Amino acid sequence: MEAVQTDLSRRTLLKYGLCTLVVAGAGGSAVLGSATRASATVVNAALFVAHGERTMIDGLVVPFVGFGSTAARLELPGGQLEVQTGDTVNLDIVNSSSLPVGFAIAASPGFSGVDAAPIAAGTGRRVTFTAPSTPGTHFYVGTVSGSADTGRALGATGAMVVLPRDAARTSIDAQFPGVRARARRQPMFGVGTPPAIPASVAQERTWLFGELNPTTARDLAGGRISLPSDPEPEYFLINGLSGMLSAEDHHTNISGRAGGLGQPGDSTLVRMINTGRAPRSIHLHGNHFWVLSHPDTPWIVGAFKDTVTVPPGRSVSVLVPLEAPPDSYPVTNRAQKYVVHDHIEMAETASGGHYPSGMVSELILE
Amino acid sequence: MAGTLVPIDQNRPADLTQAVHFGHNYPEASPETPGRARPDVSFVRKVFNDKLTFADGNDVAYWAFKDPNDDKPFPSTPLRLRQGQIVHTTIEAAINVHTIHHHGIEPSTFNDGVPDTSFNVSSDYTYQWRASRAGTFFYHCHRNAPLHVQMGMFGYLVIDPPTGPGTLYVGGPRYEVEALWATYDVDPFWRNYNHASGEKNAIADGTRLNRFRPRYFTINGVDAPRSLRSAKTTVRARVGQPILLRHLTGAYFPNVVRFPAALRPVVHMSDGEPLPAPTPLPDNVLRTTTAERYDLILTPSTAGTHTVTYEFRHWLTGAVAGTATAHVIVT
């Protein structure tokens, strides 16, 4: 871990230069490598902004402006910044791109948000903020040329996960207070006691949804500002990947051992973040999921659904129980594979039309 | 390859190939049903084509599923059964190759109807599953799904509790009138595509399944000018009589559904499971996206014709692109 610099020197920046980087380590949603806990209530981290190139599933190379946890390695999406409630977060941001780039996190109930002024090309600045007071999932965005929408369209985004203080991150009660008391489903086959929501989480995934139009991206990377009239996206990405690549990415797909009928297996918390312009309508085959949080429709929190809306610019968390597929006959819970996808079907395509090379991944019962 | 790459982007180095396109290689087959059991209920659904006509006099082609004894329904002939039953749904592909995915039903992979993880049905196949839940579901073709669902290859799947219709689920509310209202938006341009458009060579073919620009906005294929008194979009009830609305968002554009206060809408279920508590719909407005289902009990407080308005919002801008209507005539 490098020592934190309060004043980033011009010499350091010149060493990194204004080079164009090819994105490395695309896939999944890795924890931000530069983040360290300096004390019980302080997290220090560094983010490096630069121009890069990313390769779509059909081989098309598209420019983007994004973040890296080191100057030499851009990441798509940006590393997942994990903090605890109420932490003081110090972010040293180095802007090696040729555009002014700020840093923003949208406000939400109990959190006033972050909206740091643009950092001029070739300079750096420390951004300090206080983490939200309640656990939850957020995302940061580089406001490129003064526009958060431009930063989202260019891929300058990453997750921020706020974890409970002094409590296990595997605890549903700690992360989503009150949800277990609300959770409800019907008796299976109409008889007996309905299965309960699991009390703990065996594994987590973060799905950061993004959209990309290559022509728009080229214009934006050159300095244009995004417009509401920009054309339809041609690529629809989960954690920067799509189609077979997001289906096979171990950090994105859900893979684990299933329980029996109504019995949880490797229960998986999925934090879904929508950085696109369109809403997502995420549908999981093979299992319903418990809605743990929803920004627009709080009355579905605690419901057991198979499709959920993720509004633009917002996040939704769900818990997939990994129980035996309840309608299978004969009942089976091993060696099964299901798709998960955006049901707003345009988003299942890539390259302007190929299905299913868009926003898809898998649920794999080992 | 260079000569085939031009249409929408000058720099695409290669079309999607079999190596990266896992939707290209799935087999076409008509296998036996593994572990075939004696069913409690059986259905046959045959693929057919027809046309939908709109109030402006124009028509568009649609593809759908029907019971062999039905005429030419739209949406597809519903599937209706009871919770706990072992179900056989036999698809007769009839025209090209297709699948049936029972949306919200969670069977084995082999019976899930997703070609990427199983197969396309070349002639016929009997999907087998057992209904663990009561509630509102739907079924649709999952081959080249953006196109095939837009072309109309979907229908309701209703699962009653073991006691049969009249109760939403075991321990749930009772109802006396039932409405099955599915939103559906139509892009006539997509009728220029063929069954396989989008599966391969989309760039060379000019397929643009990311470009959905609907011109018609309907409930069950009926646009607003024709909706009043259409059996597909109108139900009749008495004051105080409980009406179950089984809402399905079949549209690709997000819907904002506005109910008259006099219908007193209360949401009881979504996606085949009860909500934590029956919820009076806040502001009498339901916001929903593709493939969600909501089950609402409407209890009319006054006589008259009460119109439910469905806004179809542009998927990228959120602007109202069109509206459709359905009606409750209360005496």
Side-chain angles (χ1 to χ4, degrees):
Chain A
M1 173 60 192
E2 296 175 2
V4 171
Q5 302 174 17
T6 53
D7 291 299
L8 296 165
S9 69
R10 176 72 176 165
R11 183 183 309 162
T12 304
L13 291 169
L14 289 175
K15 183 175 69 177
Y16 299 133
L18 297 175
C19 59
T20 293
L21 303 173
V22 174
V23 65
S29 189
V31 173
L32 181 61
S34 64
T36 59
R37 180 163 292 281
S39 71
T41 58
V42 176
V43 170
N44 294 331
L47 282 173
F48 298 85
V49 184
H51 290 273
E53 292 178 333
R54 51 175 160 170
T55 305
M56 298 294 101
I57 190 169
D58 59 351
L60 181 70
V61 177
V62 182
F64 85 112
V65 175
F67 293 106
S69 54
T70 69
R73 185 177 186 272
L74 285 175
E75 291 148 346
L76 185 68
Q80 178 163 302
L81 175 59
E82 296 192 348
V83 300
Q84 292 181 354
T85 52
D87 271 341
T88 296
V89 182
N90 298 313
L91 278 178
D92 291 310
I93 302 175
V94 177
N95 181 9
S96 297
S97 80
S98 63
L99 298 168
V101 178
F103 180 88
I105 302 172
S108 57
F111 177 56
S112 58
V114 180
D115 189 9
I119 300 166
T123 68
R125 187 190 309 141
R126 167 168 282 196
V127 173
T128 297
F129 63 93
T130 302
S133 56
T134 56
T137 303
H138 308 255
F139 72 97
Y140 58 87
V141 57
T143 50
V144 177
S145 304
S147 165
D149 288 341
T150 303
R152 288 160 60 180
L154 279 170
T157 53
M160 181 178 79
V161 170
V162 182
L163 297 168
R165 186 170 296 281
D166 303 324
R169 68 185 294 166
T170 55
S171 165
I172 292 293
D173 287 343
Q175 295 228 52
F176 304 95
V179 172
R180 283 211 303 146
R182 286 178 55 86
R184 184 180 175 212
R185 60 189 282 193
Q186 61 178 301
M188 296 185 74
F189 306 103
V191 296
T193 303
I197 185 174
S200 62
V201 172
Q203 55 184 357
E204 290 188 28
R205 296 287 185 274
T206 299
W207 292 345
L208 189 141
F209 302 115
E211 303 162 353
L212 184 138
N213 180 295
T215 304
T216 303
R218 290 187 191 102
D219 289 347
L220 299 181
R224 183 169 77 73
I225 310 296
S226 71
L227 299 169
S229 58
D230 282 342
E232 290 95 339
E234 295 177 5
Y235 297 91
F236 302 87
L237 310 165
I238 308 177
N239 295 335
L241 303 172
S242 70
M244 187 182 74
L245 301 178
S246 46
E248 295 192 349
D249 180 53
H250 297 306
H251 297 289
T252 300
N253 67 31
I254 302 171
S255 182
R257 292 179 68 87
L261 274 178
Q263 301 297 316
D266 292 336
S267 301
T268 304
L269 167 61
V270 183
R271 304 174 185 272
M272 297 188 279
I273 300 168
N274 183 8
T275 70
R277 284 192 292 164
R280 314 262 80 94
S281 198
I282 301 301
H283 171 50
L284 179 64
H285 294 225
N287 262 208
H288 273 46
F289 47 73
W290 298 97
V291 179
L292 300 173
S293 71
H294 200 284
D296 291 354
T297 319
W299 45 271
I300 65 166
V301 171
F304 198 45
K305 282 171 64 67
D306 60 56
T307 308
V308 70
T309 304
V310 187
R314 310 300 293 272
S315 72
V316 170
S317 291
V318 303
L319 182 65
V320 184
L322 267 73
E323 64 186 33
D327 305 298
S328 58
Y329 193 84
V331 175
T332 182
N333 66 349
R334 296 289 175 87
Q336 302 292 302
K337 180 184 279 189
Y338 299 92
V339 290
V340 54
H341 59 90
D342 189 349
H343 221 296
I344 297 179
E345 298 284 349
M346 299 79 85
E348 284 202 84
T349 69
S351 195
H354 278 281
Y355 168 84
S357 289
M359 233 167 230
V360 302
S361 192
E362 288 180 342
L363 165 63
I364 300 161
L365 305 184
E366 295 168 350
Chain B
M1 289 293 292
T4 65
L5 299 178
V6 179
I8 58 171
D9 196 280
Q10 62 277 27
N11 288 322
R12 280 186 173 80
D15 203 345
L16 293 174
T17 67
Q18 295 186 18
V20 297
H21 183 221
F22 73 130
H24 185 93
N25 284 327
Y26 27 66
E28 297 174 2
S30 298
E32 291 296 316
T33 303
R36 190 175 180 115
R38 178 188 295 273
D40 298 310
V41 60
S42 298
F43 305 95
V44 175
R45 289 294 177 270
K46 184 175 182 176
V47 177
F48 73 100
N49 298 337
D50 201 14
K51 289 185 176 180
L52 280 176
T53 303
F54 301 112
D56 63 5
N58 292 326
D59 56 39
V60 299
Y62 76 91
W63 312 335
F65 300 99
K66 72 183 189 74
D67 183 285
N69 296 319
D70 266 6
D71 189 13
K72 291 187 173 181
F74 188 86
S76 304
T77 312
L79 301 170
R80 189 155 195 161
L81 55 120
R82 294 190 184 189
Q83 187 179 23
Q85 288 185 315
I86 297 169
V87 187
H88 279 179
T89 310
T90 299
I91 179 175
E92 295 183 357
I95 304 168
N96 219 284
V97 297
H98 299 281
T99 73
I100 287 179
H101 167 61
H102 302 80
H103 183 113
I105 304 303
E106 287 139 1
S108 65
T109 301
F110 204 83
N111 288 288
D112 200 31
V114 176
D116 318 292
T117 53
S118 59
F119 54 93
N120 278 316
V121 179
S122 57
S123 174
D124 61 89
Y125 176 71
T126 299
Y127 296 95
Q128 176 170 290
W129 49 280
R130 186 181 180 206
S132 68
R133 300 181 169 93
T136 303
F137 306 85
F138 73 116
Y139 69 100
H140 66 81
C141 180
H142 218 295
R143 179 201 170 190
N144 199 10
L147 179 63
H148 287 215
V149 176
Q150 160 59 193
M151 290 302 294
M153 302 193 80
F154 68 93
Y156 270 94
L157 164 56
V158 174
I159 303 178
D160 293 304
T163 52
T167 302
L168 185 53
Y169 63 93
V170 172
R174 294 190 57 78
Y175 58 91
E176 297 176 9
V177 178
E178 192 174 24
L180 278 61
W181 290 343
T183 63
Y184 175 53
D185 41 12
V186 177
D187 184 344
F189 184 81
W190 284 33
R191 273 63 194 169
N192 297 319
Y193 297 135
N194 65 49
H195 290 258
S197 294
E199 287 183 342
K200 56 182 179 179
N201 300 327
I203 296 174
D205 293 346
T207 306
R208 294 292 170 266
L209 298 181
N210 66 322
R211 189 175 295 167
F212 183 66
R213 297 173 179 177
R215 279 179 47 202
Y216 298 102
F217 304 91
T218 80
I219 305 301
N220 291 336
V222 179
D223 53 0
R226 292 185 168 188
S227 65
L228 185 58
R229 294 187 175 79
S230 165
K232 292 184 177 181
T233 49
T234 305
V235 295
R236 297 171 187 274
R238 299 185 303 276
V239 171
Q241 197 173 23
I243 305 163
L244 171 61
L245 169 56
R246 298 183 184 271
H247 169 89
L248 162 63
T249 309
Y252 287 0
F253 273 12
N255 287 135
V256 176
V257 188
R258 300 185 185 278
F259 292 85
L263 291 180
R264 297 186 290 184
V266 177
V267 193
H268 285 262
M269 293 187 95
S270 181
D271 299 353
E273 288 286 355
L275 294 184
T279 304
L281 194 58
D283 301 320
N284 301 312
V285 174
L286 177 67
R287 300 174 192 278
T288 173
T289 52
T290 314
E292 285 190 302
R293 289 90 61 213
Y294 287 94
D295 300 297
L296 301 95
I297 296 290
L298 313 177
T299 311
S301 60
T302 60
T305 298
H306 302 296
T307 297
V308 182
T309 302
Y310 295 76
E311 297 174 357
F312 294 69
R313 300 294 188 100
H314 191 285
W315 69 308
L316 295 171
T317 69
V320 176
T323 57
T325 49
H327 313 275
V328 182
I329 298 176
V330 181
T331 54

